[in-house]
Amino acid sequence: MSPALARRIDPWLTRALAIGLPLLAAALLHGDSNWDLRNYHLYNVHAWWTGRGAIDVAAAQLQSWHNPLLDLPLYLLAQAGASARLLTLWLVLPAMLSLWALFRLQDRVSPAPPSAASRVVLALLSLTGAAAGSTLGLSMDDGFVAAGMLAALCIALSGDEASADGAQAGPRATVLRWLLAGLVAGATAGLKLSAGFYCIALAIAALPGGSLRTKAGRLAALALGGILGMALAYGPWAWHLQQAFGNPFFPYFNDVFASPAALPWDWVDARFKPHSAGDVLLAPWRLLVGTRAYSELSLRDPRLLIGLLAFAWLAWTTRGTRDDARATRLRALAAFLWSGVGLWLLQSGIYRYAAGLEMLSVLGLACLVARLRGGVIAWVVLLLAVAAVTRQPHWGRDAGPQSLASMRAPALGDGALVVTATGDPLAYLALGLPGDVPMLGLANNFMQPDRCSALQQRVSARIARQVGPIWLLEDPSAARGSVARALLREHYDLYAVDACLPYANPLAPAQLCPLQRRGAAIAPCLGPGLSVGTRSAATPGS
């Protein structure tokens, strides 16, 4: 193919890949039914939108107080009766934006127009990683984070001032671009706080190229935009949490804010964080050979390791071209990836949070192969080799054809109360409950009868004064049912009686079981002399 023809075809090819591949995935993938969707992605918006938050307590466990704004479109589509296929279509839109950003970045760092083969391989490998691929079309929101941060990186590196301290584009254009990049990154982090490490990595990516004054200008603009974006996306929710609990990040960092509504812990999921410098250094290798060190489910992916090595080599080989804009962008991408991996591990180590880093690693690999002048055969070998090594976790794609809007609980009686007593994700079923029927989480990854916080006391008081029907909501296929019922008997004198009623819904089996007391009403954390319980061995979910 002649260079002139390739340049004419390339815009159409990139659009076809960026739009067509996610659309194909939406058509082929089954409907989302993952743990997070059933636990809080639907419930949090519903509780905020309908006012259920005022009567429910910890229905979605620790995650009951996450910012609901990012999931608002999904919830509105679900309530409008959208099918699982249509919901998947919405959820693959971030993949389109991520591919667009990757193609733009590829253009900005490639010395020659990228080949069609490189475009195809970049797209396929970006969408099939253990992080990005396993969450494609799911509501886990990691795709939105990847899209937002890659877009911010693309905006920040889209100018030419890096080659001459802003002389080509002008200092005003430089400031505006980094301000916009900060705005996008800050808003993304505000919508999902676990994206915070990307913002620091973006600041480190602002350091390569230019004079000290230019670097300071970039950082100042980035910080200002980040603060503004964070304030817009998270500020209202932070105010709500502050007014309700005295902690703008409730329940997180409660060791600092000391809200009486929760125990004074940080509530940060530390299951996958490294324990030593050696753990940090070995993380890419562990991901290559297969591990559960960074995920609840087993996975394997070579992308981070190869990307780190590829960008290190590219940055090293361009070190002598200090004033070359493309070389400066390559070093900025290398700085973003290397710092991002370290920051990700220190913040959480949860692999799906690194979806944006995984996709950027594929760009580094594509740039390396292009520098080595690999032909079509080299690209095909690369695609097959990486795909053969990758093992994706399965988060849940089992949604049935029934619309979530048609979900209705069976008749519960006047003045009914619904409780849960396990860590199973059941909060989504609140969408089918009458608006005046509370859902209380009695035992989960946040609430336990021996954790005598203000919220536990509120739950206990509500149970003690209940005179109407009490129903236990549970997943009959889960293995924790007997443990839940034993907890209810021991701490609340509540016993399951009669037959359970099935609760039809498109995501997972569920049933409602009537509970009765056999003696006087009792509840933990209400009697004299009770103290705050010791921390349970159960670890909060991510």
Side-chain angles (χ1 to χ4, degrees):
M1 184 184 299
S2 68
L5 181 59
R7 284 192 296 270
R8 292 179 59 185
I9 292 176
D10 186 70
W12 296 99
L13 176 63
T14 54
R15 292 190 194 105
L17 292 171
I19 298 173
L21 287 179
L23 286 179
L24 179 62
L28 296 177
L29 294 173
H30 293 290
D32 182 12
S33 62
N34 80 84
W35 193 97
D36 286 1
L37 175 69
R38 290 179 284 138
N39 188 48
Y40 75 94
H41 285 303
L42 291 170
Y43 171 80
N44 284 10
V45 188
H46 184 67
W48 165 62
W49 192 259
T50 64
R52 286 199 67 91
I55 63 172
D56 293 351
V57 177
Q61 313 186 63
L62 176 69
Q63 296 85 358
S64 297
W65 299 277
H66 286 191
N67 189 349
L69 190 58
L70 184 55
D71 294 313
L72 180 59
L74 175 69
Y75 171 77
L76 293 178
L77 284 170
Q79 289 295 80
S83 65
R85 189 75 67 197
L86 186 57
L87 294 179
T88 303
L89 179 61
W90 158 254
L91 294 170
V92 299
L93 289 179
M96 299 181 187
L97 178 57
S98 294
L99 287 181
W100 170 84
L102 287 174
F103 288 145
R104 290 276 297 173
L105 287 170
Q106 187 183 24
D107 290 336
R108 303 301 287 173
V109 298
S110 298
S115 66
S118 74
R119 298 291 207 192
V120 173
V121 171
L122 174 60
L124 290 174
L125 289 183
S126 297
L127 295 183
T128 55
S134 69
T135 59
L136 180 63
L138 297 185
S139 61
M140 300 174 96
D141 289 341
D142 303 298
F144 286 96
V145 170
M149 292 304 176
L150 289 174
L153 190 61
C154 182
I155 293 168
L157 301 182
S158 62
D160 292 324
E161 83 287 347
S163 63
D165 293 346
Q168 294 183 23
R172 179 175 296 181
T174 300
V175 168
L176 289 177
R177 192 173 59 258
W178 283 91
L179 180 71
L180 180 57
L183 182 68
V184 173
T188 303
L191 293 172
K192 190 170 176 65
L193 294 178
S194 59
F197 72 92
Y198 282 105
C199 297
I200 303 175
L202 188 59
I204 295 174
L207 298 178
S211 65
L212 183 61
R213 181 178 179 181
T214 300
K215 299 178 197 291
R218 293 175 192 155
L219 289 173
L222 183 67
L224 179 60
I227 293 171
L228 180 59
M230 183 77 174
L232 290 173
Y234 191 71
W237 189 247
W239 176 259
H240 164 72
L241 294 179
Q242 177 65 32
Q243 294 299 107
F245 302 109
N247 177 351
F249 301 99
F250 185 84
Y252 301 103
F253 311 117
N254 208 45
D255 54 335
V256 176
F257 293 97
S259 168
L263 297 188
W265 305 337
D266 60 17
W267 292 100
V268 173
D269 187 350
R271 290 174 296 170
F272 307 110
K273 294 177 68 172
H275 301 291
S276 65
D279 287 342
V280 174
L281 295 174
L282 289 174
W285 171 254
R286 288 173 176 163
L287 288 167
L288 174 64
V289 298
T291 182
R292 293 185 65 172
Y294 310 103
S295 173
E296 297 92 338
L297 304 177
S298 180
L299 59 86
R300 183 173 62 222
D301 199 297
R303 288 166 179 78
L304 274 190
L305 176 61
I306 298 175
L308 288 168
L309 296 176
F311 271 118
W313 185 85
L314 291 167
W316 175 261
T317 56
T318 57
R319 68 191 186 282
T321 55
R322 178 176 177 273
D323 292 328
D324 181 79
R326 294 186 188 277
T328 301
R329 292 189 202 101
L330 269 176
R331 292 195 293 273
L333 291 178
F336 181 87
L337 182 64
W338 273 83
S339 63
V341 170
L343 292 164
W344 156 67
L345 287 166
L346 294 177
Q347 178 180 286
S348 70
I350 299 173
Y351 186 66
R352 58 186 176 82
Y353 291 178
L357 299 177
E358 180 189 84
M359 299 180 85
L360 185 62
S361 295
V362 177
L363 175 60
L365 180 57
C367 291
L368 176 62
V369 174
R371 291 291 180 94
L372 298 176
R373 302 184 183 279
V376 173
I377 295 178
W379 288 109
V380 172
V381 170
L382 170 66
L383 176 62
L384 295 177
V386 174
V389 174
T390 303
R391 181 172 67 233
Q392 296 182 3
H394 180 75
W395 299 114
R397 301 182 188 271
D398 307 304
Q402 176 188 354
S403 167
L404 286 166
S406 64
M407 186 168 57
R408 294 290 183 274
L412 302 178
D414 295 336
L417 174 67
V418 172
V419 301
T420 62
T422 70
D424 297 321
L426 299 166
Y428 73 100
L429 295 164
L431 275 66
L433 292 177
D436 60 347
V437 175
M439 180 185 286
L440 308 181
L442 304 186
N444 51 47
N445 65 21
F446 179 72
M447 301 283 287
Q448 290 293 332
D450 64 345
R451 297 176 182 174
C452 294
S453 64
L455 281 180
Q456 179 61 57
Q457 292 173 356
R458 176 182 165 188
V459 164
S460 295
R462 182 66 181 82
I463 292 288
R465 70 172 184 266
Q466 174 67 9
V467 295
I470 303 177
W471 296 85
L472 172 64
L473 178 61
E474 63 181 8
D475 180 349
S477 65
R480 290 181 285 268
S482 59
V483 175
R485 297 186 182 205
L487 180 145
L488 291 172
R489 291 193 300 268
E490 177 184 356
H491 295 284
Y492 296 93
D493 192 38
L494 291 173
Y495 293 79
V497 296
D498 301 328
C500 298
L501 302 179
Y503 187 165
N505 73 90
L507 298 184
Q511 63 184 16
L512 285 154
C513 304
L515 299 174
Q516 286 185 1
R517 294 190 180 98
R518 292 188 177 177
I522 63 170
C525 295
L526 295 181
L530 289 175
S531 60
V532 173
T534 57
R535 185 163 191 169
S536 168
T539 306
S542 59

